[in-house]
Amino acid sequence: MTHATGGSNLRVDGEALWTDLMETARFGGTPKGGIKRLTLTAEDRQVRDWFVKACEDLGCAVSCDSMGNLFARRPGRDDSLPPITMGSHLDTQPTGGKFDGILGVLGGLAVLRALREAGHVTRHPIELINWTNEEGSRFTPPMMCSGVFAGVFTEQEVLDKRDRAGLRFGEELEAIGYRGEEICGRHPLAAYFELHIEQGPILEAEDRTIGAVAGVQGMRWYEVTVRGRDAHAGSTPMPLRHDTLLASARMIAALAEVARAHAPGVGTVGLIENRPNSNNVVPGETFFTVDIRHPDDGVVAAMEAAFQARFRAIAEAGGVTLEIVPIWDAPAVHFDPACVAMVADAAREAGFDPRPIVSGPGHDAAYVARVAPTAMIFVPCKDGLSHNEEESITQADAQAGANVLLGAILRADAAF
């Protein structure tokens, strides 16, 4: 054991990690080989039960806070110290893959297994965290419960959130049996590391195995409602229509143009509802979401101003009214330089050349960084594809990422 740097000859069991990834894929598994495991559903409860048992089998004590965040604790030599932590999330998109989020949880489990099998006792306690509702696909916004932990949202406003079916977050959390007594945010952290697939094409394109993530780009979400007038499709002349779907289509195209004009910014409409949604009725109300992102918060603000101006002009020309409601604003995040360096050093020790990278997607680490020194580790995914049932990584890359996570954890244990 190299106590001076936190480095180690310890290695994770890549076969066991891969077995865990394939085993947990059955919870919400889809016919196409992906996963539909929305937060606070029966499938979420099943994978949580599996996680708790797996951690307890490794000798960890598992606790749960008031937002359902799970903490699996392995004692250290000085258990009075705040824990060095790692983690991610177990929930998925409606058509998610086998690796988004859960790689960070099961990679952390592999770290705990390696420490146990080697009989290595760290100075700090080591904790593995599963954050509730990272995806935001059922209850909006995403990263909701790491957000409560970091003080971005209040506990009550999250408990009162409702999904599109009108079901309340707090009641659904109670229903799966994972609302704990510890107040969310009271749990101490010395440092936090999150392993994740890149969800983009850079590492694969450059034939790199490890990304040392320097931060997360800024992002904002909006809900847009366009209102016009329902009318008969056969008897209403084109110039007299107040067609909300047509106006919305033009707005969606305008958003794409705004994003291209602010490269490398991106703009996305991922959810749309049309009413009355009948084949022979001119639509009288359309609802859709907008997601804009850029590494520079100033550019995000410029994108917001540009798309809203375009939307208003389109609404006026189309004889419809427009309502734009901001629902989420996550500024750009810069991770702790010392923790990022620990990731890079651990990668080099493991034989990899770490690639500095900024995350396009948001992650729980972005909020945890507000309350603890934080860094992330990326590994490549095939074709940069994620939030898709065809999401794929290699066993070798999963093992490499978990080994770098282990190295970073050991370095943090020595440094903090």
Side-chain angles (χ1 to χ4, degrees), residues 4 90 119 136 149 173 194 219 225 233 247 313 318 390:
L90 295 170
F149 188 90
L173 180 59
E194 184 167 339
M219 55 198 80
T225 304
E390 296 180 11

Side-chain angles (χ1 to χ4, degrees), residues 51-56 58-64 69-75 83-86 105 108-109 112 125-130 187:
F51 170 77
V52 170
K53 183 179 186 303
C55 292
E56 290 177 344
L58 291 175
C60 296
V62 182
S63 62
C64 182
N69 299 317
L70 292 168
F71 303 84
R73 183 182 182 93
R74 184 176 192 267
I84 306 295
T85 64
M86 54 192 169
V105 177
L109 190 68
L112 294 175
I126 305 298
E127 290 191 353
L128 173 58
I129 305 173
N130 167 53
H187 205 90

Side-chain angles (χ1 to χ4, degrees), residues 248-304:
S248 297
R250 289 172 173 158
M251 292 175 191
I252 294 167
L255 177 68
E257 292 170 1
V258 168
R260 292 190 189 100
H262 293 82
V266 293
T268 305
V269 171
L271 185 156
I272 186 166
E273 296 174 352
N274 186 52
R275 302 181 185 95
N277 216 34
S278 174
N279 67 316
N280 63 343
V281 178
V282 177
E285 183 173 302
T286 308
F287 170 91
F288 61 94
T289 59
V290 168
D291 175 324
I292 59 172
R293 309 185 187 209
H294 193 282
D296 185 322
D297 287 331
V299 179
V300 174
M303 292 173 67
E304 175 185 74

Side-chain angles (χ1 to χ4, degrees), residues 6-353:
S8 168
N9 293 321
L10 295 175
R11 291 291 180 268
V12 303
D13 183 338
E15 289 288 344
L17 170 57
W18 196 255
T19 297
D20 288 345
L21 286 164
M22 296 304 107
E23 169 71 9
T24 52
R26 66 188 174 91
F27 301 115
T30 66
K32 292 183 179 180
I35 301 175
K36 180 182 180 180
R37 191 164 58 229
L38 302 183
T39 194
L40 309 188
T41 59
E43 294 79 14
D44 187 16
R45 176 186 55 76
Q46 290 165 355
V47 76
R48 284 167 174 265
D49 290 348
W50 183 97
F51 170 77
V52 170
K53 183 179 186 303
C55 292
E56 290 177 344
D57 286 348
L58 291 175
C60 296
V62 182
S63 62
C64 182
D65 73 13
S66 54
M67 290 288 97
N69 299 317
L70 292 168
F71 303 84
R73 183 182 182 93
R74 184 176 192 267
R77 293 196 303 276
D78 184 351
D79 223 32
S80 68
L81 293 173
I84 306 295
T85 64
M86 54 192 169
S88 194
H89 60 97
L90 295 170
D91 65 317
T92 76
Q93 290 287 325
T95 53
K98 294 186 181 75
F99 307 100
D100 175 8
I102 197 167
L103 175 64
V105 177
L106 298 184
L109 190 68
V111 168
L112 294 175
R113 185 181 294 118
L115 294 172
R116 178 180 172 87
E117 291 180 354
H120 181 91
V121 181
T122 52
R123 188 168 65 96
H124 293 72
I126 305 298
E127 290 191 353
L128 173 58
I129 305 173
N130 167 53
W131 301 104
T132 301
N133 192 39
E134 191 274 351
E135 291 292 357
S137 55
R138 182 183 178 196
F139 296 96
T140 300
M143 296 129 64
M144 189 180 282
C145 295
S146 58
V148 174
F149 188 90
V152 178
F153 313 117
T154 68
E155 182 171 311
Q156 194 59 50
E157 70 179 308
V158 169
L159 291 173
D160 289 337
K161 291 286 185 180
R162 294 184 182 271
D163 65 12
R164 300 296 294 171
L167 298 174
R168 183 174 173 271
F169 183 98
E171 292 165 3
E172 295 297 279
L173 180 59
E174 294 277 5
I176 68 165
Y178 275 96
R179 186 172 186 196
E181 295 183 0
E182 182 182 53
I183 297 173
C184 184
R186 298 281 180 87
H187 205 90
L189 307 180
Y192 176 74
F193 295 88
E194 184 167 339
L195 168 64
H196 210 281
I197 60 172
E198 181 193 350
Q199 301 181 282
I202 295 173
L203 293 177
E204 184 183 52
E206 297 182 5
D207 196 25
R208 307 282 277 273
T209 302
I210 299 295
V213 186
V216 180
Q217 68 180 344
M219 55 198 80
R220 297 181 186 180
W221 283 15
Y222 312 81
E223 291 181 343
V224 180
T225 304
V226 185
R227 296 183 178 92
R229 185 170 64 204
D230 302 354
H232 196 291
S235 58
T236 308
M238 297 301 289
L240 300 180
R241 296 184 176 199
H242 303 272
D243 186 335
T244 60
L245 186 57
L246 177 60
S248 297
R250 289 172 173 158
M251 292 175 191
I252 294 167
L255 177 68
E257 292 170 1
V258 168
R260 292 190 189 100
H262 293 82
V266 293
T268 305
V269 171
L271 185 156
I272 186 166
E273 296 174 352
N274 186 52
R275 302 181 185 95
N277 216 34
S278 174
N279 67 316
N280 63 343
V281 178
V282 177
E285 183 173 302
T286 308
F287 170 91
F288 61 94
T289 59
V290 168
D291 175 324
I292 59 172
R293 309 185 187 209
H294 193 282
D296 185 322
D297 287 331
V299 179
V300 174
M303 292 173 67
E304 175 185 74
F307 92 73
Q308 293 199 11
R310 294 283 297 274
F311 282 19
R312 284 192 291 270
I314 292 167
E316 184 176 356
V320 297
T321 63
L322 175 69
E323 180 183 14
I324 303 175
V325 178
I327 60 170
W328 186 47
D329 182 357
V333 175
H334 303 282
F335 289 141
D336 180 73
C339 287
V340 175
M342 291 173 195
V343 168
D345 289 345
R348 294 186 192 97
E349 182 184 58
F352 303 107
D353 180 20

